[in-house]
């Protein structure tokens, strides 16, 4: 069994360029393209968002790739206006050489690694892996084996959502009511969006008490690098 940390990769994007494209799309409504300047997108987007006219934000999307636990992607896939490609536990048999003959589980950020609770969690994960590998050797299919896998199981997810939906996702998943495992991934992503597109994301709240030591560092999506 291998205990790993979550991972978050983000496609390269230019926040200002995205907002200027959103402005151009919005000005179609008023045929006011002639009013575009280098800074005009700021006022226009602020006005639209203040008045609740956020449909224009749907013209642009951003893609991320993350390694998270099953519980995290179960929460995220409840957001319907997004696209997901998720590592399938129906087809991935972790008892095969391709997966190093082991189950990878995500280190829980809400259990002290020096506590008895962590010992119990580790013991449970090891026992699950033992039985999983035993069943795999007996010829069990991935379809059968998936029923053993706990929420802590690590999985890779590629996710795309438009800008409006990202706002909605952050509002629900970056606050203190969301599970800590999803907060540690989405809060740093939200902070990046706030930095790159403040006119759109500055009003999105998040759990400011979540400890920064648990934030996952962001990287460029490897398969999208030049």
């Amino acid at each position: 069994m291998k205990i790993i940390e979550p991972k978050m990769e983000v496609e390269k994007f230019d926040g200002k360029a995205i907002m200027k494209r959103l402005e151009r799309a919005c000005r179609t409504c008023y045929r006011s393209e002639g009013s575009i300047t280098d800074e005009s997108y700021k006022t226009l987007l602020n006005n639209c968002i203040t008045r609740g006219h956020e449909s224009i934000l749907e013209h642009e999307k951003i893609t991320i790739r993350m390694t998270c636990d099953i519980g995290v992607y179960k929460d995220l896939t409840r957001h319907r206006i997004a696209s997901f490609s998720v590592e399938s536990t129906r087809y991935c048999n972790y008892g095969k050489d391709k997966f190093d003959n082991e189950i990878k589980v995500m280190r829980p950020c809400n259990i002290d690694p020096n506590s008895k609770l962590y010992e119990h969690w580790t013991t449970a994960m090891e026992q699950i892996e033992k039985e999983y590998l035993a069943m795999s050797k007996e010829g069990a299919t991935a379809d059968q084996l998936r029923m053993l896998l706990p929420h802590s199981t690590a999985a890779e997810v590629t996710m795309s959502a438009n800008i409006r939906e990202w706002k909605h996702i952050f509002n629900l998943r970056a606050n203190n009511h969301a599970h800590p495992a999803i907060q540690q991934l989405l809060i740093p992503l939200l902070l990046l969006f706030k930095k790159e597109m403040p006119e759109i994301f500055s009003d999105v709240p998040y759990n400011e008490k979540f400890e920064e030591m648990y934030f996952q560092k962001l990287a460029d999506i490897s398969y999208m690098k030049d």
Side-chain angles (χ1 to χ4, degrees), residues 1 10 39 57 74-75 83 93 96 109 136 143 169 185-186 191-192 197 200-201 211 215 219:
M1 180 184 78
V10 189
E39 300 290 319
L57 303 181
K74 281 181 64 178
D75 282 348
S83 299
N93 185 335
K96 302 297 183 182
C109 66
S136 180
D143 223 6
I169 291 168
L185 285 164
L186 291 194
L191 295 177
L192 172 65
M197 295 175 281
I200 298 175
F201 289 95
E211 293 188 55
F215 286 2

Side-chain angles (χ1 to χ4, degrees), residues 23-34:
E23 176 194 16
R24 181 168 290 278
C26 179
R27 288 191 181 279
T28 303
C29 303
Y30 316 106
R31 296 311 310 271
S32 60
E33 294 89 346

Side-chain angles (χ1 to χ4, degrees), residues 36-168:
I36 293 176
T37 67
D38 189 52
E39 300 290 319
S40 58
Y41 69 90
K42 295 181 178 180
T43 300
L44 184 70
L45 290 177
N46 275 321
N47 288 342
C48 287
I49 291 171
T50 298
R51 301 202 307 262
H53 297 319
E54 296 194 352
S55 62
I56 62 162
L57 303 181
E58 297 172 11
H59 287 289
E60 294 286 326
K61 71 173 180 64
I62 291 177
T63 296
I64 65 168
R65 183 180 176 90
M66 59 187 163
T67 303
C68 60
D69 65 39
I70 287 177
V72 167
Y73 80 64
K74 281 181 64 178
D75 282 348
L76 284 176
T77 52
R78 293 168 64 188
H79 294 275
R80 292 164 177 79
I81 310 176
S83 299
F84 301 90
S85 295
V86 182
E87 179 176 326
S88 174
T89 53
R90 286 194 61 204
Y91 296 100
C92 297
N93 185 335
Y94 303 112
K96 302 297 183 182
D97 291 342
K98 178 180 178 180
F99 299 98
D100 301 320
N101 300 290
E102 66 181 356
I103 294 176
K104 294 179 176 63
V105 293
M106 200 65 62
R107 187 186 307 279
C109 66
N110 58 342
I111 301 178
D112 182 350
N114 299 311
S115 67
K116 276 289 185 181
L117 289 179
Y118 191 82
E119 289 182 20
H120 287 303
W121 174 82
T122 302
T123 299
M125 297 302 104
E126 290 173 344
Q127 186 62 34
I128 288 172
E129 182 188 56
K130 178 183 176 182
E131 299 304 332
Y132 184 103
L133 295 178
M135 287 180 64
S136 180
K137 288 180 180 179
E138 291 292 330
T141 65
D143 223 6
Q144 295 169 320
L145 292 168
R146 71 174 290 180
M147 293 181 286
L148 291 177
L149 295 174
H151 273 59
S152 291
T153 306
E156 292 192 4
V157 180
T158 296
M159 174 183 174
S160 301
N162 67 52
I163 302 301
R164 185 182 193 181
E165 184 62 14
W166 275 121
K167 286 196 70 175
H168 176 62

